[in-house]
Amino acid sequence: MRAQMQANRGRALEELIELANNQYLVQGRAVIHKVPTEWIPVRDGTGKIRTAKVERKAAVDFIGAYGGQPIAFDAKETRADRIRWDRVELHQQKFLECWHRAGGIAFVIVGFMARERFFVVPWPVWRRGLERWRDERGPASVSYLEFVDWGYEAPSVLEYLSVVDKVWGTRYGGDHRMTC
């Protein structure tokens, strides 16, 4: 049961982001895809599938292109007023760091679900908090109020690209309009 709860953690936020991404695709603004996690079935002695386990974790939750720029991000949600820096797993940290260094747009979307508030946190900001915690110079988690102070709040999760525009200056132009 715990494994199933862990597997579904963050699913509500991911579904909202998928709605936004479908909207962006229909509008010709962006193409952003949910990266599936690879699962393998676990069978009992009779051959019936009883559960499944992760075969290989996805690097991040979403990847795509916006405004002619490559974009990759992970989605994390919490019902509390704090979220731990290490919620972004090591393999995700490495991927986001490489993506950022290669010139791509890399970030973490954090959903404070009880408050229905959403933040787009640039990877370098998240990385600094994580490094400060690892070096024992900072807290293990970050509070909702700190997110508010940083100014990366999206008007809604369906409009997260407005924060991407603000932070990276990637407003899509006519030459980037897509028809799919």
Side-chain angles (χ1 to χ4, degrees):
M1 184 64 154
R2 181 166 166 69
Q4 183 180 11
M5 288 172 54
Q6 290 287 81
N8 290 329
R9 184 171 62 179
R11 190 66 194 137
L13 178 58
E14 289 176 6
E15 288 175 358
L16 290 170
I17 293 169
E18 286 183 277
L19 285 172
N21 292 344
N22 287 336
Q23 173 184 296
Y24 292 143
L25 182 63
V26 168
Q27 295 168 347
R29 293 182 62 195
V31 56
I32 301 169
H33 172 71
K34 170 78 174 96
V35 180
T37 300
E38 293 182 32
W39 296 87
I40 55 174
V42 176
R43 299 177 188 275
D44 65 12
T46 66
K48 290 183 183 178
I49 296 174
R50 293 294 178 195
T51 188
K53 66 178 185 176
V54 174
E55 180 175 30
R56 184 173 52 197
K57 294 179 179 180
V60 290
D61 291 328
F62 296 92
I63 195 166
Y66 173 58
Q69 297 288 321
I71 189 170
F73 60 96
D74 208 65
K76 301 297 181 192
E77 73 176 60
T78 181
R79 295 230 168 263
D81 275 348
R82 300 190 74 76
I83 189 164
R84 291 184 55 88
W85 294 115
D86 60 0
R87 283 284 305 279
V88 177
E89 297 178 32
L90 185 59
H91 70 282
Q92 296 168 326
Q93 295 167 25
K94 289 177 179 178
F95 183 88
L96 289 168
E97 184 64 26
C98 288
W99 194 270
H100 169 72
R101 287 183 183 204
I105 296 169
F107 57 92
V108 179
I109 290 185
V110 177
F112 288 91
M113 303 309 278
R115 292 179 176 270
E116 296 182 9
R117 306 285 289 273
F118 306 94
F119 298 85
V120 174
V121 183
W123 172 245
V125 172
W126 193 275
R127 178 183 8 101
R128 274 193 303 276
L130 185 64
E131 288 170 349
R132 286 178 49 79
W133 167 65
R134 281 189 185 140
D135 295 342
E136 298 180 3
R137 294 179 294 129
S141 62
V142 59
S143 75
Y144 164 78
L145 293 175
E146 289 172 275
F147 279 93
V148 172
D149 288 345
W150 291 343
Y152 300 124
E153 185 169 6
S156 79
V157 74
L158 298 176
E159 301 173 58
Y160 72 87
L161 286 182
S162 67
V163 179
V164 172
D165 288 339
K166 184 173 94 173
V167 174
W168 284 274
T170 57
R171 297 192 199 290
Y172 83 101
D175 58 340
H176 293 295
R177 183 170 278 286
M178 309 170 334
T179 54
C180 296

